[in-house]
Amino acid sequence: MSPIQAMERSYSTLKQMLREGRYAPGARLEANRLAEALGVSMTPVRDVLHRLVGERLVEATSGEGFHVPRLTEGELRDLYEWNSALLLIAVRTTREEPQTLSLEDLLGTGADQTALVFERMASAAPNQEIRASIASASDRLHAFRMLEDIILGPMIGELDELMIRNHGQPQSIRRYHLRRMRAVSLLLRERDKV
């Protein structure tokens, strides 16, 4: 396997593991153990960890190494607020209808469906920076979205309401995020159980 292939495979695997919350908040990410588990050398893993620091999926501190971020209630609330603001900008600037979800899209988890709905909304926005920022926020929120069904109950109709492009869409986006912002303490408590 080429060094680039090793790095890309390590990146996609580790990023997916972080998105799914497979490591507890605050968990130390040791490059040598990750390299062994991924079947690659430490160099691509170290490069991947630095890349993930840039994406804010991993934290690095001098002398402490790499860790999974441990968000406070305020930080998680801010992240939901940021995601909401980005989506509202995307909706206001959109010139085309977002793609609708197919039956295959609906087979994933609620977290996967939510990420896909927001990705579709972002993809219709003309500004690539908004699209990239929404993708980044979605990656950072994914582990919490996986817990939303447990804390908030089924999201029946909530995603459908978000996908309907009409004058009510901004209110649907705000309502969706405010519901989660009110539940950040419960989401964090459930996330800490991992």
Side-chain angles (χ1 to χ4, degrees):
M1 178 181 327
S2 76
I4 291 176
Q5 288 174 319
M7 189 169 100
E8 285 306 312
R9 186 178 63 115
S10 299
Y11 171 76
S12 62
T13 301
L14 188 53
K15 181 174 182 175
Q16 188 61 27
M17 292 170 75
L18 291 164
R19 287 181 77 240
E20 293 173 356
R22 292 194 201 170
Y23 295 102
R28 186 162 187 205
L29 300 171
E30 297 180 32
N32 58 346
R33 289 190 181 171
L34 291 169
E36 188 177 305
L38 296 170
V40 297
S41 71
M42 269 193 18
T43 301
V45 171
R46 233 182 279 116
D47 291 344
V48 164
L49 287 168
H50 284 287
R51 182 175 174 183
L52 292 169
V53 167
E55 294 178 19
R56 298 180 66 189
L57 287 167
V58 170
E59 290 179 342
T61 51
S62 182
E64 298 286 321
F66 298 97
H67 293 85
V68 176
R70 183 183 301 276
L71 297 180
T72 65
E73 285 186 30
E75 290 167 336
L76 181 55
R77 198 172 288 109
D78 287 350
L79 186 52
Y80 276 115
E81 182 69 37
W82 175 238
N83 193 62
S84 175
L86 289 167
L87 287 164
L88 290 170
I89 293 169
V91 166
R92 276 196 302 268
T93 61
T94 295
R95 296 186 191 122
E96 59 189 57
E97 253 336 280
Q99 294 177 332
T100 56
L101 297 177
S102 69
L103 288 175
E104 283 181 28
D105 296 333
L106 301 174
L107 297 177
T109 65
D112 292 333
Q113 291 172 7
T114 302
L116 192 54
V117 165
F118 291 155
E119 178 187 311
R120 297 280 166 86
M121 291 168 82
S123 71
N127 186 310
Q128 70 179 4
E129 291 298 326
I130 291 171
R131 293 191 306 264
S133 295
I134 290 170
S136 173
S138 271
D139 285 341
R140 294 171 58 211
L141 284 168
H142 195 81
F144 295 100
R145 288 182 182 152
M146 292 176 63
L147 304 170
E148 289 175 0
D149 282 347
I150 297 166
I151 301 300
L152 301 171
M155 296 185 296
I156 298 168
E158 205 170 19
L159 294 180
D160 295 334
E161 187 179 335
L162 287 168
M163 282 302 290
I164 296 170
R165 187 164 157 78
N166 58 29
H167 296 295
Q169 192 175 32
Q171 290 87 354
S172 299
I173 291 168
R174 285 303 296 156
R175 194 170 31 253
Y176 169 92
H177 287 88
L178 287 171
R179 184 173 179 220
R180 281 139 186 88
M181 288 164 63
R182 281 189 221 95
V184 293
S185 62
L186 297 172
L187 287 164
L188 284 167
R189 204 171 308 135
E190 190 66 29
R191 175 74 172 100
D192 285 340
K193 291 180 184 178
V194 173

